Amino acid sequence: MNAEAQIWELFYAGLTPNAMYMVAMVLLTWLGFRFAVAISNEPNTPIMAKIVSSAYFVIVAMMFYGTAEVGGIMAAAAANQLVMLPEMSSGAQEFIERVEAGRVPGGPLSVALNVVILFMQLTMTWLKKS
């Protein structure tokens, strides 16, 4: 097996557990939306429930971003190893360019997604229905 194939194999092996964490983050985010909907539909929700739910939303958003960031770190590590190869495939070169441009998990798109989700949950929790 050549060096590039080994790098790809290790990278993909690392993505599997990261993907399992991402599924968990999606489920926790979904649960957060369930909390937000329940609070939104009940005008007399105690303030403590809103505060605790908001803390939950923030913690899940931080965990979600952290999980995405780990994927980005693994991509950067793989790209760094690929750069050191004397020869590489066109796919490896394209991958390196994506990593250098920040188009990986944990990049600007991940941040934007987390901010939008958090904003939606907090808005549903704290703003009154019209």
Side-chain angles (χ1 to χ4, degrees):
M1 182 181 297
N2 70 21
E4 183 178 337
Q6 288 177 329
I7 293 167
W8 285 120
E9 187 175 315
L10 287 171
F11 174 62
Y12 289 128
L15 288 181
T16 301
N18 191 253
M20 294 166 78
Y21 277 104
M22 288 301 283
V23 169
M25 293 303 100
V26 168
L27 290 172
L28 292 173
T29 301
W30 169 81
L31 182 60
F33 274 109
R34 298 279 297 155
F35 291 163
V37 167
I39 291 169
S40 178
N41 288 336
E42 177 55 52
N44 298 321
T45 301
I47 192 78
M48 185 55 85
K50 290 182 175 186
I51 292 169
V52 171
S53 294
S54 297
Y56 174 85
F57 304 151
V58 170
I59 290 167
V60 170
M62 290 168 51
M63 289 172 57
F64 201 137
Y65 175 72
T67 302
E69 194 173 41
V70 168
I73 290 167
M74 288 188 302
N80 288 339
Q81 293 298 310
L82 290 167
V83 165
M84 292 192 280
L85 296 176
E87 292 181 27
M88 70 181 86
S89 67
S90 61
Q93 185 58 45
E94 289 174 24
F95 179 75
I96 292 165
E97 290 169 7
R98 284 181 83 70
V99 170
E100 288 173 349
R103 296 188 328 255
V104 292
L109 223 52
S110 294
V111 173
L113 174 64
N114 277 285
V115 168
V116 167
I117 289 171
L118 184 59
F119 181 76
M120 288 168 51
Q121 290 173 329
L122 292 172
T123 301
M124 292 171 69
T125 300
W126 290 98
L127 295 183
K128 295 181 188 240
K129 282 186 169 181
S130 52

